[in-house]
Amino acid sequence: MAGLRPAGEALSYKMVDDELALFDKSINEFWNKFKSTVNDTSCQMVGLREAYKDSIKAFAEKLSVKLKEEERMVEMFLEYQNQICRQNKLIQEKKENLLKLIAEVKDKNQEVEALTANIQDLKEEYARKKETISTANKANEERLKRLQKSADLYKDRLGLEIRKIYGDKLQFIFTDIDPKHPDHPFMFSLCLNEARDYEVSDSAPHLECLAEFQEKVRQTNNFSAFLANVRKAFTALVYN
């Protein structure tokens, strides 16, 4: 900005020099004319002097106007430069804001990519668990079918019904033992103790041999034979 003013002033000074050269030319012309008319009357001298004064005044006014115009041009140029500086500052601020926004968008994209990867991992894990659960369900269904088949077999051949009662116990109920009263129940309860061994209790009617049967099933783990022996014992009570 400071370097622009001397350029404007140099332009003004050049114009002043041109005007001064023109003025010198006018003076020379006037002087030549004056010498040629030195013998004219005094009135002519007065007229020339007045013309000279008018010429000087007109030149001064014209020069003043030119200088004012140059000053206005310099001021306009400086104002234009200030506007450019303000615009450049605004552009820089917008550029910084844009770079900040781009960085934020980049961070968001990275978060989205990470979230997408996590979702994909969860989907894969869910698919694996779903497959595992499906396999387990199929196995349980098969097991339930076998258990139901066994329960139906026990019920049809042995007249046996199994119920879950209090204390995580199973109640085994036999029917079709007493020919006179086929619906009369003969029952006992069974559970697993802390040692994970069979524990038999609450037989009705009471069986003296139940403790012996319990010990034998613990040794052999042959539960079908245990149930058959219990039914035979209840049957023996009826016929004895």
Side-chain angles (χ1 to χ4, degrees):
M1 300 294 288
L4 295 176
R5 185 177 298 273
E9 291 178 354
L11 180 60
S12 299
Y13 290 148
K14 185 178 184 304
M15 294 181 66
V16 171
D17 291 337
D18 294 338
E19 293 294 335
L20 290 175
L22 182 60
F23 175 71
D24 289 338
K25 183 178 179 182
S26 299
I27 291 295
N28 290 331
E29 291 177 353
F30 173 79
W31 179 250
N32 291 331
K33 186 182 291 186
F34 175 77
K35 287 192 298 180
S36 65
T37 58
V38 69
N39 295 322
D40 289 349
T41 61
S42 59
C43 292
Q44 290 176 327
M45 292 295 292
V46 172
L48 289 173
R49 188 166 50 250
E50 293 297 327
Y52 172 75
K53 290 181 178 180
D54 292 340
S55 177
I56 292 297
K57 182 178 180 181
F59 172 75
E61 291 177 352
K62 185 177 181 181
L63 183 60
S64 177
V65 170
K66 289 290 184 180
L67 290 175
K68 289 181 179 179
E69 289 178 354
E70 291 297 328
E71 289 178 356
R72 285 197 297 268
M73 290 180 64
V74 171
E75 290 176 356
M76 291 175 62
F77 181 77
L78 294 176
E79 178 61 25
Y80 177 71
Q81 289 286 26
N82 290 334
Q83 291 180 359
I84 291 176
C85 289
R86 290 193 293 269
Q87 290 295 327
N88 288 337
K89 184 177 180 181
L90 291 175
I91 291 172
Q92 184 62 29
E93 291 177 354
K94 290 182 179 180
K95 181 180 179 181
E96 291 175 356
N97 292 334
L98 180 60
L99 292 175
K100 183 178 180 181
L101 181 61
I102 291 173
E104 291 177 354
V105 170
K106 185 177 180 181
D107 292 340
K108 292 294 182 181
N109 288 337
Q110 291 177 350
E111 291 178 2
V112 169
E113 291 175 358
L115 183 60
T116 302
N118 290 336
I119 291 174
Q120 184 62 30
D121 292 341
L122 290 174
K123 285 182 178 179
E124 293 176 357
E125 184 178 358
Y126 172 75
R128 290 193 296 270
K129 289 185 176 180
K130 185 178 180 181
E131 181 66 23
T132 301
I133 292 172
S134 177
T135 303
N137 287 338
K138 289 180 181 179
N140 288 335
E141 288 176 0
E142 292 297 326
R143 185 179 181 186
L144 287 174
K145 288 179 181 179
R146 292 195 299 269
L147 290 174
Q148 185 63 45
K149 186 177 180 180
S150 298
D152 293 341
L153 180 64
Y154 283 134
K155 188 173 184 180
D156 293 339
R157 294 186 178 182
L158 301 178
L160 175 62
E161 181 181 357
I162 303 173
R163 297 176 183 175
K164 184 176 181 180
I165 58 176
Y166 62 91
D168 292 330
K169 289 184 177 182
L170 293 177
Q171 188 179 59
F172 294 77
I173 304 171
F174 292 97
T175 56
D176 295 329
I177 291 180
D178 189 346
K180 296 180 180 180
H181 307 285
D183 294 332
H184 182 72
F186 293 77
M187 65 189 71
F188 71 93
S189 298
L190 181 141
C191 67
L192 295 176
N193 59 22
E194 294 180 357
R196 309 304 293 174
D197 291 328
Y198 291 115
E199 188 169 321
V200 184
S201 61
D202 305 326
S203 66
H206 179 68
L207 291 176
E208 294 291 341
C209 58
L210 201 59
E212 179 184 348
F213 294 158
Q214 173 182 284
E215 186 63 25
K216 190 172 182 179
V217 74
R218 286 180 179 180
Q219 293 174 358
T220 63
N221 203 31
N222 190 342
F223 198 73
S224 296
F226 167 75
L227 291 176
N229 289 332
V230 172
R231 182 177 177 82
K232 287 178 183 179
F234 280 136
T235 301
L237 287 178
V238 172
Y239 287 100
N240 291 335

